[in-house]
């Protein structure tokens, strides 16, 4: 419908605006610190990461809370400061479980499916994960802010590729945060301390 959803962490609210920027409503219910958002367009659901509550809340497009998943912990489906979310074309939910140093994946029915990740400062481990996105071929893109890098995995947690390093030139990052992949596999990265959005193109391969 072209509506815009904004999580306001300081106000502890999620706001809805129409395509022209006119305010429509706030989501119902209380948040502690709402951060990442993801939209499942087919099922008309909006997922909200409530970082300090260690939960992901699920809403309808009418702004009413339907249910929540997660609680604080280190077990399967438990969360520790989740920050960013993404939903793929099949309805699977991907969560940057930042202080568990994991990517957690939930089914379209909100059941825990799998997770991957280890803490560390190597290419294949996570230091401080933030943005997460999925392309049309199912590749999972994870922003590791502390390493100034985007890492690409398959659903089994195998590292396929990475790009970026600390710097100010094209293709370099300085504390990157959010990421989004569109239907043409263009990759948008918010390069926070460089104060810019960088756009990349996934070329695919045989």
């Amino acid at each position: 419908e072209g509506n815009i959803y904004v999580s306001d962490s300081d106000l502890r609210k999620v706001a809805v605006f129409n395509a022209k920027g006119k305010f429509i409503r706030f989501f119902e219910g209380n948040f502690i610190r709402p951060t990442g958002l993801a939209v499942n367009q087919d099922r008309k659901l909006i997922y909200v990461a409530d970082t300090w509550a260690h939960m992901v809340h699920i809403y309808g497009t009418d702004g009413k809370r339907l249910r929540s998943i997660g609680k604080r912990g280190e077990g399967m489906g438990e969360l520790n400061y989740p920050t960013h979310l993404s939903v793929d074309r099949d309805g699977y939910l991907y969560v940057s479980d930042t202080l568990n140093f994991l990517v957690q994946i939930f089914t379209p029915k909100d059941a825990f499916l799998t997770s991957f990740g280890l803490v560390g400062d190597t290419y294949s481990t996570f230091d401080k994960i933030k943005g997460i996105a999925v392309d049309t071929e199912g590749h999972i893109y994870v922003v590791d802010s502390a390493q100034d890098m985007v890492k690409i995995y398959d659903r089994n947690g195998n590292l396929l590729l990475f790009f970026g390093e600390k710097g100010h030139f094209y293709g370099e990052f300085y504390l990157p945060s959010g990421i989004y992949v569109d239907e043409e596999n263009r990759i948008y990265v918010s390069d926070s301390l460089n104060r810019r959005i960088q756009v990349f193109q996934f070329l695919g391969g045989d």
Side-chain angles (χ1 to χ4, degrees):
E1 297 176 353
N3 290 334
I4 302 163
Y5 299 87
V6 181
S7 61
D8 191 319
S9 297
D10 283 344
L11 287 181
R12 302 181 181 184
K13 295 179 181 294
V14 174
V16 187
F17 300 85
N18 68 17
K20 294 182 178 180
K22 181 180 179 181
F23 174 78
I24 300 175
R25 70 174 71 89
F26 287 116
F27 278 15
E28 71 174 18
N30 297 320
F31 297 97
I32 300 178
R33 189 169 184 83
T35 51
L37 298 171
V39 178
N40 184 325
Q41 297 190 55
D42 291 336
R43 299 177 65 198
K44 296 189 176 183
L45 298 174
I46 297 94
Y47 298 83
V48 183
D50 195 344
T51 299
W52 290 356
H54 313 285
M55 304 178 77
V56 175
H57 303 299
I58 304 169
Y59 282 80
T61 53
D62 58 0
K64 296 185 181 299
R65 186 178 295 182
L66 304 175
R67 54 195 175 275
S68 301
I69 58 176
K71 64 177 182 178
R72 190 171 193 182
E74 300 178 355
M76 295 184 297
E78 297 177 342
L79 303 170
N80 191 20
Y81 293 94
T83 55
H84 292 71
L85 308 172
S86 183
V87 175
D88 69 15
R89 56 171 51 187
D90 296 319
Y92 288 84
L93 173 68
Y94 300 78
V95 181
S96 290
D97 190 9
T98 301
L99 291 190
N100 277 332
F101 306 97
L102 292 173
V103 169
Q104 297 215 42
I105 305 174
F106 295 83
T107 70
K109 294 185 178 180
D110 309 325
F112 171 79
L113 177 65
T114 188
S115 64
F116 64 85
L118 290 170
V119 61
D121 59 1
T122 65
Y123 293 133
S124 61
T125 58
F126 294 136
D127 194 338
K128 185 172 287 185
I129 58 173
K130 289 196 173 180
I132 189 166
V134 184
D135 68 19
T136 61
E137 297 187 11
H139 304 122
I140 304 164
Y141 296 71
V142 183
V143 176
D144 195 323
S145 289
Q147 295 188 37
D148 299 294
M149 185 177 294
V150 176
K151 302 177 180 182
I152 307 172
Y153 294 83
D154 63 21
R155 191 179 282 181
N156 295 319
N158 298 308
L159 179 65
L160 304 176
L161 186 70
F162 55 85
F163 61 92
E165 60 181 318
K166 188 172 184 176
H168 308 288
F169 195 65
Y170 303 130
E172 297 175 340
F173 302 116
Y174 191 14
L175 202 68
S177 52
I179 188 169
Y180 178 75
V181 180
D182 69 16
E183 293 181 353
E184 297 182 10
N185 289 326
R186 287 182 295 239
I187 305 154
Y188 302 80
V189 182
S190 59
D191 189 9
S192 298
L193 294 190
N194 279 328
R195 299 178 177 86
R196 63 188 180 185
I197 304 294
Q198 295 201 59
V199 186
F200 304 82
Q201 178 68 61
F202 171 62
L203 299 177
D206 298 328

